[in-house]
Amino acid sequence: MKICFVSSQNLNSFWHNNLESVQKSDLLVFGFNGLPLVSYKSELEGKTEYFSDVAKLSKNLNTVIISGCDTDTYGMYRHSAVIADKGKILGVSDMVNVVDDSEFTGGGGFRIYDTSVGRIGVIVGEDIFFPEISKTLSLGESDVIVSVYRKITSSIPQIMLRASAFAFGVPIGMIAEDYVQVAGINGEIILAGKGTKEIDLNIKKEYHLITNKKRGLNGVFKGEI
C-alpha cells in the first residue's frame, strides 16, 4: 500500500500544487492542517463544502483520503477525521477520550473502514494513548491504522505508536503538525520526517500464540478428588 502523508499543507493548496506527485498513491493522509473548522450546520445548509472537497479530491485521484479536522456539532467541538474513497465519504471518526480540561468533547468513536485499498482503522488525537483502542482495531482485522494527532510535544506519542504496533501486530502511521512517523509490526520506526512523506508499505500482520499460566482451576473439572 503506497501511502502519502501531507503534514504541512492544507487540502486545497495541495490539490492545486502537488497532484502529479501523488497520482499513484493508494492512500493520501492529511493532519489537522488539511481542513479548517468544519461546522455540520454550515455543511448541511450548503454554506461550506469541506467534506465535499475531500470527496472530490479522492475521486480526482481515484484513491482514499483521510483528513483531520475540528468539527462543530451545534456548539459541541470535537477532534475528528473524515475519510473518503474515490468520490464517496465513508464516514467521520471522532476522538473518544479527552485528557484533562479542554473545550473539545469526546465523540462518536473509532472505526475500521472497508476501502478499495484495504481495511483502515482510524485513531484521532489522544486516543493513541489508550492501547485498548489499537487492540480493538487490530482484532477487527485492520490492514493498517492511521493516527491523526494534533502536535507532538513529547516522546509519548511515538512510544505509544511503537508499543501498539508491536503488541497488536499491525503497522500504524501517525500524522501530526509538520511531522510524520510510521511504526512497523516489530515496533521499529520505518518512516519519520516533516512535510510530505511517502512510504510503500508492505502490509503484513503479526500473529503470536500466547499462553498464560494461571493460579487455580480453569474450565470444568469432571471426576473425583
Side-chain angles (χ1 to χ4, degrees), residues 133-145:
I133 293 179
S134 298
K135 181 178 181 180
T136 299
L137 296 177
S138 171
L139 292 173
E141 293 296 326
S142 294
D143 294 312
V144 65
I145 295 173

Side-chain angles (χ1 to χ4, degrees), residues 31-42:
F32 285 97
N33 53 286
L35 296 172
L37 176 70
V38 179
S39 164
Y40 282 110
K41 183 175 184 293
S42 296

Side-chain angles (χ1 to χ4, degrees), residues 3-56:
I3 307 175
C4 178
F5 295 91
V6 184
S7 68
S8 58
Q9 295 186 65
N10 63 42
L11 185 137
N12 282 330
S13 173
F14 192 82
W15 190 342
H16 290 103
N17 299 311
N18 300 85
L19 285 189
E20 292 184 2
S21 65
V22 295
Q23 287 291 343
K24 296 182 179 179
S25 294
D26 298 307
L27 174 61
L28 179 60
V29 184
F30 294 85
F32 285 97
N33 53 286
L35 296 172
L37 176 70
V38 179
S39 164
Y40 282 110
K41 183 175 184 293
S42 296
E43 290 283 292
L44 291 171
E45 293 176 349
K47 296 178 180 178
T48 60
E49 296 182 340
Y50 295 128
F51 286 167
S52 177
D53 286 344
V54 178
K56 290 176 182 176

